[in-house]
Amino acid sequence: MPERNRVAWADVAKGVCILLVVLWHVLMKHYLQIDWHIGGQIKGAWGTFGEQLLPLRMPLFFAVSGFFAVRAVQRTWPEVLRTKVAKFYYIYVVWLVIHTVILAFVPDFGTESADGPLKFVAQLFITPSNLWYLYALALYFIVARATRRVPPWVVLGLAFLLSATASAGLVAVPGDRAGVYQNLVFFLAGIYGKTLIEKLAADASWLRLIAIAAPYGVLLGVVALFDAKTWFGLWPLVSGVAILLGVTAAGLVTRWERLSNGLASIGRRTLPIYVIHMPLLALIHEALLKPLSSASPTIQLVTQIVEPIVLTALVAWLCLVLYKYLPKALFELPFGLGVSRRPAPAHRRTAPVTSR
């Protein structure tokens, strides 16, 4: 593979993942909350579509994050704590404050937000908010650095058991704590399976895509038919197959330059979209809910068909526009504390999400 294309698939995968995250929130927290006066299967189809991608979005996101973290976890403890742990937790805290303030003005918006000091403290340290990806990354880097001399099969095995236990509902998983428990195994898989993942993306083919999509479809069918998400070990297994599917698909997409460049551009700027989109969506939801709920049947029909895609694109675009004008300190540790002091080649990136 040409040097410039070695991580193109990963940027494409991140771009798709962040758009799917925004789409999921558009569907669950806005679209399905509208008072639809028209019948039909469109609304249900959108909801079903979003649910089928649940095993893909965050597991693939964390696997790619682990893929980029291989070199980082080999650094000294002070470097890891400063450039990764402190960085991601700092961004989490900053945006937790921003989310809490903005969401206080839209209390009916369907996402967890702190309504008092105790809940805010709990979100800081115990049960993270909808920004849990950043909270999880800070913890995952500690785990990865602490276990780097432990045999990979032991670390991955224990992480798989944690994921299976959480997805089976055998431990308490209030709020977004479930995501933290369930996705460690995929972050570690991205670290330990870096070479395999690279090869999977480089050798992607339509035949392999179909060969992986078939069992993925079967597993999704089992989950839907038997309500089997809580079967011990099944959910992380489904997510693992979804990662293989996503990496293969991303490798294929890199062969279409325009599409690949567009998605990769988004993938290199996932951080601002991730942290900004929820409060922005809350404000848009507040403005659109009543007008759309009382709209004419014709307007509601058109809205049912196109709004999820249009609103997802609009929210992502607005996030990137706002990113240009917001202070740099909202997205990285101030005073250069989050910057590694080791020189690195221009083509190599070890961070899962980029800052300016």
Side-chain angles (χ1 to χ4, degrees):
M1 266 185 147
E3 188 69 43
R4 63 184 177 85
N5 288 337
R6 287 188 179 176
V7 294
W9 69 268
D11 287 331
V12 167
K14 290 196 300 175
V16 171
C17 284
I18 195 62
L19 291 176
L20 291 178
V21 167
V22 176
L23 174 62
W24 175 245
H25 291 152
V26 165
L27 290 173
M28 298 304 296
K29 301 180 185 300
H30 166 70
Y31 181 81
L32 295 178
Q33 308 307 317
I34 296 172
D35 185 8
W36 299 105
H37 300 296
I38 59 174
Q41 304 299 316
I42 299 173
K43 180 180 72 171
W46 271 116
T48 301
F49 174 74
E51 288 176 354
Q52 302 316 301
L53 296 172
L54 278 173
L56 174 69
R57 284 187 294 268
M58 296 313 295
L60 179 57
F61 218 154
F62 277 109
V64 175
S65 299
F67 175 88
F68 281 129
V70 172
R71 293 178 185 266
V73 298
Q74 300 302 319
R75 297 173 182 167
T76 64
W77 268 112
E79 283 187 295
V80 173
L81 292 174
R82 186 185 73 252
T83 64
K84 300 302 176 185
V85 179
K87 172 185 174 180
F88 289 119
Y89 191 69
Y90 165 81
I91 298 172
Y92 172 74
V93 173
V94 167
W95 283 94
L96 177 61
V97 173
I98 295 172
H99 280 212
T100 301
V101 172
I102 295 177
L103 293 175
F105 292 96
V106 281
D108 295 329
F109 185 65
T111 195
E112 284 288 328
S113 61
D115 53 7
L118 290 179
K119 190 169 184 179
F120 181 80
V121 171
Q123 289 185 338
L124 272 178
F125 301 111
I126 303 172
T127 301
S129 71
N130 57 68
L131 294 161
W132 64 273
Y133 170 77
L134 298 170
Y135 178 98
L137 276 183
L139 289 178
Y140 292 175
F141 271 100
I142 294 175
V143 173
R145 179 59 178 78
T147 60
R148 69 187 183 120
R149 299 190 185 281
V150 179
W153 66 269
V154 174
V155 180
L156 288 172
L158 291 175
F160 180 87
L161 288 176
L162 175 63
S163 180
T165 301
S167 59
L170 299 180
V171 293
V173 285
D176 286 303
R177 199 189 302 173
V180 177
Y181 292 165
Q182 291 175 17
N183 287 282
L184 172 61
V185 65
F186 308 121
F187 180 78
L188 295 171
I191 293 176
Y192 294 121
K194 179 181 173 68
T195 302
L196 177 62
I197 292 173
E198 278 184 319
K199 183 173 177 56
L200 186 66
D203 298 339
S205 68
W206 289 104
L207 181 61
R208 181 178 293 173
L209 184 72
I210 294 171
I212 300 172
Y216 180 60
V218 170
L219 289 170
L220 287 178
V222 169
V223 171
L225 185 61
F226 299 101
D227 192 23
K229 183 178 178 179
T230 56
W231 289 6
F232 190 86
L234 182 60
W235 191 250
L237 174 62
V238 176
S239 298
V241 176
I243 290 171
L244 299 179
L245 182 66
V247 171
T248 302
L252 289 173
V253 169
T254 58
R255 300 172 188 178
W256 286 277
E257 186 174 357
R258 285 191 177 182
L259 178 59
S260 174
N261 289 344
L263 290 172
S265 176
I266 296 172
R268 289 189 289 269
R269 295 175 291 172
T270 55
L271 178 58
I273 297 175
Y274 181 76
V275 298
I276 298 172
H277 82 273
M278 190 67 80
L280 182 60
L281 178 60
L283 297 175
I284 293 174
H285 172 73
E286 185 75 7
L288 294 182
L289 180 61
K290 290 183 179 179
L292 291 179
S293 295
S294 59
S296 67
T298 301
I299 293 177
Q300 282 212 338
L301 177 60
V302 174
T303 301
Q304 272 199 1
I305 297 171
V306 305
E307 196 205 26
I309 295 297
V310 172
L311 190 53
T312 296
L314 175 64
V315 168
W317 177 75
L318 287 174
C319 289
L320 295 178
V321 170
L322 290 171
Y323 176 56
K324 294 179 181 179
Y325 301 102
L326 290 172
K328 185 178 181 181
L330 296 180
F331 302 95
E332 58 186 55
L333 278 174
F335 313 117
L337 293 175
V339 179
S340 174
R341 294 181 182 134
R342 291 186 179 183
H347 68 269
R348 176 173 62 79
R349 290 177 291 114
T350 57
V353 287
T354 60
S355 56
R356 299 184 201 219

